[in-house]
């Protein structure tokens, strides 16, 4: 079926693009690390910023609640 073949080709192409992007991201992280940035912190900040505002606020509130409960704040 030509439609299925087209869909599969597109998916395969997207997977290849994703691999290339992952490599580019890795290169950028390595470059940032070479000038003193912490890769793990960069990844955490990016993950945080990729959440929408409401989700970030909810997450922050939960973390704050747990820290208070643990006596850390």
């Amino acid at each position: 079926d030509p439609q299925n073949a087209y869909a599969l080709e597109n998916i395969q192409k997207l997977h290849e693009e994703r691999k290339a992007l992952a490599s580019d991201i890795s290169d950028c992280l390595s470059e940032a690390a070479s000038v003193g940035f912490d890769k793990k912190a960069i990844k955490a900040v990016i993950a945080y910023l990729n959440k929408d505002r409401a989700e970030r606020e909810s997450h922050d509130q939960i973390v704050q609640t747990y820290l208070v409960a643990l006596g850390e704040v």
Side-chain angles (χ1 to χ4, degrees):
D1 179 7
Q3 234 178 356
N4 288 340
Y6 179 74
L8 291 172
E9 288 171 6
N10 278 339
I11 292 168
Q12 183 179 14
K13 179 184 169 197
L14 291 170
H15 277 278
E16 290 169 7
E17 290 174 10
R18 181 170 58 184
K19 285 181 190 176
L21 287 172
S23 177
D24 291 347
I25 290 169
S26 179
D27 291 346
C28 286
L29 284 168
S30 293
E31 193 174 311
S34 74
V35 295
F37 286 93
D38 182 281
K39 285 184 183 183
K40 192 172 182 179
I42 291 171
K43 289 178 183 181
V45 169
I46 296 299
Y48 183 81
L49 293 175
N50 281 338
K51 296 177 184 178
D52 66 30
R53 182 175 296 278
E55 189 177 356
R56 287 194 311 249
E57 289 173 356
S58 173
H59 177 261
D60 291 346
Q61 186 176 23
I62 292 167
V63 169
Q64 186 67 22
T65 299
Y66 290 175
L67 288 171
V68 168
L70 293 170
E72 295 295 323
V73 179

